[in-house]
């Protein structure tokens, strides 16, 4: 199913879920500045970025890349542990 922005896809209030997100001041200021450039409200931009990020995180290529990165970190840690043990 193709992604539809919530303003276009939601037909009832029960289809929209509200969540709280905490930002540190620097990140919030960046969000506000970015929203101004795009002529959006910060909440709308945060929602758009979150929606896209969630979809990106489920991309098979991104998952394989993450697994490869984790494998490399684990193998390095294992090699260090093995050297200490010897």
């Amino acid at each position: 199913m193709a992604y539809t922005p919530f303003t276009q896809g939601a037909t009832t209030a029960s289809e929209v879920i509200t969540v709280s997100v905490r930002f540190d001041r620097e990140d919030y200021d960046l969000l506000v500045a970015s929203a101004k450039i795009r002529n959006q409200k910060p909440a709308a931009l945060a929602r758009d970025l979150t929606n896209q990020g969630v979809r990106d995180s489920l991309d098979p290529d991104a998952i394989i890349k993450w697994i490869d990165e984790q494998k490399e970190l684990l193998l390095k840690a294992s090699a260090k542990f093995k050297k200490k043990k010897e």
Side-chain angles (χ1 to χ4, degrees), residues 15-78:
E15 293 180 16
V16 177
I17 307 300
T18 300
V19 297
S20 295
V21 178
R22 295 181 190 271
F23 291 95
D24 63 27
R25 174 54 63 182
E26 182 180 357
D27 290 338
Y28 180 75
D29 291 344
L30 289 170
L31 176 67
V32 170
S34 185
K36 276 186 178 182
I37 291 169
R38 291 169 172 75
N39 197 27
Q40 282 185 287
K41 293 182 179 180
L45 178 58
R47 181 181 56 242
D48 292 347
L49 293 171
T50 300
N51 288 342
Q52 188 58 49
V54 168
R55 283 159 181 75
D56 290 347
S57 74
L58 295 172
D59 174 66
D61 293 334
I63 292 170
I64 290 168
K65 181 182 175 190
W66 180 82
I67 289 170
D68 289 343
E69 290 168 355
Q70 295 303 307
K71 180 180 176 181
E72 185 177 328
L73 289 172
L74 290 168
L75 289 173
K76 285 180 182 179
S78 176

